[in-house]
Amino acid sequence: MRKHLIDIKSTSVEDIKLVLETASSFKDVLSRDIKKVPALRGKTAVNLFFEPSTRTKTSFELAEKRLSTDVINFAVPTSSVVKGETLYDTIKTIESYGVDFIIIRHQSSGVPHFITSFSQASVINAGDGINEHPTQALLDAFTLIEKKGTVEGLKIAVVGDIFHSRVARSNIFCLRKLGAEVRIVAPNTLVPKGIENEGVQIYNNLEDGISDVDAVMMLRIQNERQSGGFLSSKDEYFRFWGLTSKRLKNAKPDCIVMHPGPMNRGVEIDSEVADSAQSVIHAQVINGLAVRMAVLYLLSTA
């Protein structure tokens, strides 16, 4: 395992499988009465989230605490960033406190990679711009293995705002490396140029795109990044691209439904589907904790 986890594109299949195997052990820990181990006692992690986050930030913080790591939560609105401090100076200041892990989410693609050029700590990308979100892809793969036994050979549809989605990119790389058939299902305006070069099939019709698939991975419509006129309206999007129970019948009967959250109910997914027996959305949240514990543990030994 390398020192940093910046993306899935450059992560080897062996390291992906190592994380997933290690996460399985940590999930056992989470089922105990005392859900804490001393594996990273004496280590310190800082969570730097320059964008809002509920699941990822909470999951990382809890994973750190479950491993007995000391945790610093960096709050941008009350930091010297608002006074004009550069990212470089912020990181160097934080590192002076002896930080071992930097977990960063940033609105600009490439920031985590930039930090690795001067930081002594292990850097984990918690989502950068529209680039990648590696731990989300790992927890999604973990959930697929848990529910389906394997990823290899599965037909998986990734549906929605592919253009702005770092989750989609990381999942495409991860699922393809693990041997899945990946379909991209979205209106033309939300399909990035050149994505077909990643070995995916592109569908511009939801019913066809999810036909006979083993898993449907819905994506959030990123309202904060829709200024370019990618959508005519949310109502129209739901009419053509929202996942409903009727449309889900095009998939295999045992198809599972995934979503990285937060969900826009009534826009990309109907509540009847989100709360159905086929939904594994809450399992993804739980598995995210085990996967992030595994990532922190493995990076500490790199």
Side-chain angles (χ1 to χ4, degrees):
M1 193 79 183
R2 296 181 299 181
K3 182 178 179 180
H4 311 288
L5 179 62
I6 302 302
D7 56 36
I8 294 295
K9 189 169 188 176
S10 66
T11 301
S12 69
V13 174
E14 290 73 22
D15 280 351
I16 291 172
K17 290 182 177 178
L18 178 60
V19 171
L20 300 179
E21 290 167 4
T22 307
S24 182
S25 300
F26 280 120
K27 185 150 188 190
D28 291 339
V29 171
L30 297 175
S31 64
R32 299 176 187 170
D33 290 338
I34 298 176
K35 303 174 178 60
K36 194 166 185 174
V37 292
L40 296 186
R41 181 179 293 164
K43 301 287 187 181
T44 303
V46 58
N47 301 316
L48 292 97
F49 280 67
F50 288 79
E51 281 189 329
S53 171
T54 299
R55 289 158 189 77
T56 305
K57 186 174 183 295
T58 304
S59 183
F60 265 114
E61 183 175 349
L62 197 52
E64 292 151 4
K65 290 179 176 176
R66 292 283 187 258
L67 293 167
S68 304
T69 314
D70 294 325
V71 180
I72 301 170
N73 284 307
F74 179 84
V76 174
T78 57
S79 73
S80 291
V81 170
V82 297
K83 299 177 181 177
E85 185 175 65
T86 66
L87 180 65
Y88 176 87
D89 287 335
T90 298
I91 298 295
K92 296 303 287 185
T93 299
I94 289 171
E95 275 203 330
S96 299
Y97 298 119
V99 167
D100 300 285
F101 303 100
I102 295 173
I103 295 88
I104 182 158
R105 169 171 288 192
H106 202 280
Q107 62 273 21
S108 297
S109 301
V111 164
H113 185 267
F114 166 65
I115 294 173
T116 64
S117 67
F118 61 86
S119 173
Q120 300 303 308
S122 287
V123 179
I124 301 174
N125 180 4
D128 63 326
I130 62 171
N131 183 35
E132 282 218 39
H133 191 348
T135 57
Q136 180 68 46
L138 291 168
L139 76 88
D140 288 342
F142 185 89
T143 304
L144 282 162
I145 293 170
E146 186 178 66
K147 301 298 181 184
K148 296 291 184 182
T150 182
V151 173
E152 186 172 7
L154 294 181
K155 294 179 182 177
I156 301 170
V158 184
V159 181
D161 188 356
I162 312 295
F163 188 89
H164 298 102
S165 179
R166 52 199 177 207
V167 172
R169 283 175 178 77
S170 284
N171 263 302
I172 288 168
F173 299 139
C174 188
L175 297 173
R176 291 285 297 138
K177 287 185 177 188
L178 295 177
E181 175 187 312
V182 181
R183 301 179 183 179
I184 294 302
V185 187
N188 276 324
T189 54
L190 295 176
V191 177
K193 289 182 179 178
I195 196 72
E196 65 275 10
N197 297 328
E198 302 299 339
V200 299
Q201 301 170 31
I202 299 174
Y203 289 79
N204 296 126
N205 176 282
L206 181 57
E207 286 80 359
D208 292 342
I210 65 174
S211 175
D212 201 36
V213 298
D214 299 282
V216 179
M217 192 174 290
M218 300 303 295
L219 298 175
R220 180 175 72 91
I221 286 295
Q222 301 192 28
N223 297 311
E224 69 275 24
R225 296 188 171 101
Q226 296 296 335
S227 58
F230 297 94
L231 299 176
S232 54
S233 72
K234 292 179 183 177
D235 288 343
E236 185 174 287
Y237 183 84
F238 182 71
R239 185 146 54 93
F240 289 99
W241 298 97
L243 186 63
T244 62
S245 295
K246 182 179 178 182
R247 284 181 169 140
L248 188 56
K249 290 178 181 176
N250 288 276
K252 289 181 178 177
D254 61 347
C255 173
I256 60 173
V257 177
M258 310 175 77
H259 195 302
M263 290 184 285
N264 292 309
R265 292 174 182 257
V267 180
E268 69 257 6
I269 189 168
D270 189 66
S271 285
E272 188 179 7
V273 176
D275 301 326
S276 71
Q278 288 176 263
S279 170
V280 297
I281 295 169
H282 290 296
Q284 290 175 267
V285 175
I286 296 168
N287 290 337
L289 180 53
V291 165
R292 287 170 178 129
M293 288 174 73
V295 168
L296 287 161
Y297 174 74
L298 291 170
L299 292 185
S300 74
T301 63

